[in-house]
């Protein structure tokens, strides 16, 4: 099997068919297994959205920044926590790598999370606790087309000593 860490890449165009219940459960398990700063699990939470009406309401709120995906992970963290952005990012990566291992596409979307922060009524309806704010939205689904693997082997400066 291809290494899912290397197979993962940003997907921004999705088919309408939804991931199966088993796949969603595996993605949630990957979210649950993410590292959390100082072991403080209660500073991070996620809303997993599959309901079509709710997906549509979110797309309208974020100006289509969730790319019409049939499944969204909205990862939110406690406003006072020093670990918020970091917890959310490692959790998002866990979910995206798990998605890749299931043959699903995904993308880390910060802009949708920032847009959601401006819609407190929607956040309340989604069940995000007061005092928590979205950090990242991860749209997930079957990619409309295979994206040719691009060479990322030299993306970052790496110093070896
Ligand atoms: C902190 C962060 C913020 C990002 N925000 C967005 C975003 O708002 N919209 C989007 O389409 N992609 C967003 N991305 C995805 C990046 O554009 C993407 O990961 C990058 O182009 C590298 O491509 P790759 O993931 O295929 O390696 C974000 C990624 C990171 C790490």
């Amino acid at each position: 099997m291809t290494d899912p860490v290397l197979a993962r890449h940003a997907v921004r165009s999705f088919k309408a068919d939804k991931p199966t219940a088993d796949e969603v459960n595996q993605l949630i398990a990957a979210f649950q297994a993410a590292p959390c700063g100082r072991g403080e699990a209660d500073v991070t939470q996620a809303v997993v959205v599959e309901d079509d009406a709710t997906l549509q309401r979110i797309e309208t709120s974020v100006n289509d920044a969730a790319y019409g995906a049939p499944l969204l992970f909205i990862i939110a963290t406690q406003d006072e926590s020093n670990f918020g952005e970091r917890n959310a990012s490692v959790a998002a990566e866990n979910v995206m790598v798990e998605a890749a291992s299931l043959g699903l596409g995904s993308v880390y979307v910060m802009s949708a999370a920032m847009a959601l922060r401006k819609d407190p009524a929607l956040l309340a309806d989604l069940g995000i606790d007061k005092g928590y704010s979205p950090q990242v939205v991860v749209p997930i689904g079957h990619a409309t087309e295979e994206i040719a693997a691009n060479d990322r082997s030299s993306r970052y400066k790496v110093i070896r000593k």
Side-chain angles (χ1 to χ4, degrees):
M1 182 189 148
T2 316
D3 182 336
V5 172
L6 300 180
R8 184 217 59 80
H9 56 258
V11 169
R12 299 185 177 86
S13 179
F14 299 94
K15 294 179 184 169
D17 53 313
K18 292 193 185 289
T20 66
D22 280 351
E23 288 170 337
V24 174
N25 286 336
Q26 268 182 257
L27 293 166
I28 292 171
F31 169 76
Q32 296 286 17
C36 51
R38 223 190 288 140
E40 293 171 3
D42 62 340
V43 306
T44 305
Q45 50 187 235
V47 187
V48 181
V49 185
E50 299 174 81
D51 171 66
D52 285 327
T54 309
L55 288 168
Q56 190 48 59
R57 187 175 166 200
I58 292 168
E59 287 292 358
T60 302
S61 180
V62 304
N63 214 2
D64 295 322
Y67 300 110
L71 173 69
L72 299 179
F73 270 65
I74 301 169
I75 303 175
T77 61
Q78 200 174 46
D79 297 334
E80 270 78 56
S81 173
N82 288 328
F83 300 125
E85 293 174 30
R86 296 163 177 86
N87 281 0
S89 290
V90 292
E93 178 69 358
N94 262 27
V95 172
M96 294 189 297
V97 169
E98 188 66 25
S101 80
L102 295 168
L104 296 166
S106 67
V107 59
Y108 184 121
V109 183
M110 184 175 160
S111 58
M114 295 304 116
L116 280 176
R117 290 177 178 211
K118 297 179 185 147
D119 195 342
L122 176 52
L123 295 184
D125 288 349
L126 288 171
I128 293 175
D129 288 336
K130 245 188 165 3
Y132 288 69
S133 301
Q135 297 284 4
V136 49
V137 176
V138 184
I140 300 169
H142 295 278
T144 50
E145 59 192 65
E146 283 292 313
I147 296 176
N150 57 337
D151 180 8
R152 299 174 293 187
S153 58
S154 304
R155 171 175 281 171
Y156 299 117
K157 177 177 177 178
V158 175
I159 299 139
R160 298 178 65 168
K161 293 190 183 245

